[in-house]
């Protein structure tokens, strides 16, 4: 069984967070260390440690992450200019919290994804 993370506690309301969306499948909240004017994390309420742990049963929930991302981008006023969605996997991919999460970043030109 996967270990609980700080995100599990945010989902249950045990740790305060600036939640912008929550339903039975996902929770979205503002990143405490934003890398862009808009930086929101969208996470499944089910603990899935990494992309490598995704199963066919997770398809609907993970598809819902994208639906919620588009909804939030529109509400935040960044949909028309554009935004970036990022999911990191494991240490070399930059994952720090082992509860799969999507970063929604926007509000300025973000430039290239990786430096050369």
């Amino acid at each position: 069984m996967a270990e609980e993370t700080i995100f599990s506690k945010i989902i249950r309301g045990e740790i305060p967070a600036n939640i912008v969306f929550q339903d039975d499948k996902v929770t979205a909240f503002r990143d405490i260390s934003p890398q862009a004017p808009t930086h929101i994390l969208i996470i499944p309420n089910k603990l899935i440690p990494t992309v490598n742990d995704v199963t066919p049963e997770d398809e609907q929930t993970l598809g819902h992450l994208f639906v919620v991302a588009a909804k939030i981008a529109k509400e935040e006023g960044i949909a028309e200019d554009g935004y970036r969605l990022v999911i990191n996997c494991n240490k070399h991919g930059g994952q720090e919290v082992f509860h799969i999460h999507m970063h929604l970043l926007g509000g300025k030109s973000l430039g290239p994804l990786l430096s050369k």
Side-chain angles (χ1 to χ4, degrees):
M1 173 114 186
E3 290 186 31
E4 249 197 17
T5 68
I6 190 169
F7 291 171
S8 303
K9 294 177 181 180
I10 289 171
I11 291 165
R12 291 192 305 264
E14 296 171 5
I15 293 177
N18 187 346
I19 294 176
V20 297
F21 180 88
Q22 187 168 41
D23 65 13
D24 62 325
K25 290 183 178 67
V26 304
T27 300
F29 54 93
R30 296 193 188 280
D31 194 295
I32 60 169
S33 192
Q35 304 299 305
T38 297
H39 188 170
I40 294 170
L41 300 179
I42 308 167
I43 61 175
N45 293 340
K46 173 188 174 186
L47 175 53
I48 305 168
T50 74
V51 172
N52 295 333
D53 301 299
V54 171
T55 67
E57 291 77 34
D58 300 319
E59 281 187 66
Q60 186 176 18
T61 298
L62 296 181
H64 190 55
L65 287 178
F66 286 89
V67 171
V68 170
K71 176 186 184 318
I72 293 170
K74 185 174 182 180
E75 290 171 353
E76 293 285 316
I78 61 172
E80 188 172 322
D81 285 340
Y83 53 95
R84 180 172 291 157
L85 300 173
V86 178
I87 299 175
N88 299 318
C89 183
N90 278 326
K91 291 180 184 180
H92 284 191
Q95 187 174 5
E96 295 177 4
V97 177
F98 288 85
H99 185 140
I100 196 171
H101 53 286
M102 174 185 287
H103 296 259
L104 166 62
L105 301 136
K108 69 175 187 177
S109 179
L110 298 173
L113 182 59
L114 299 172
S115 59
K116 296 181 182 180

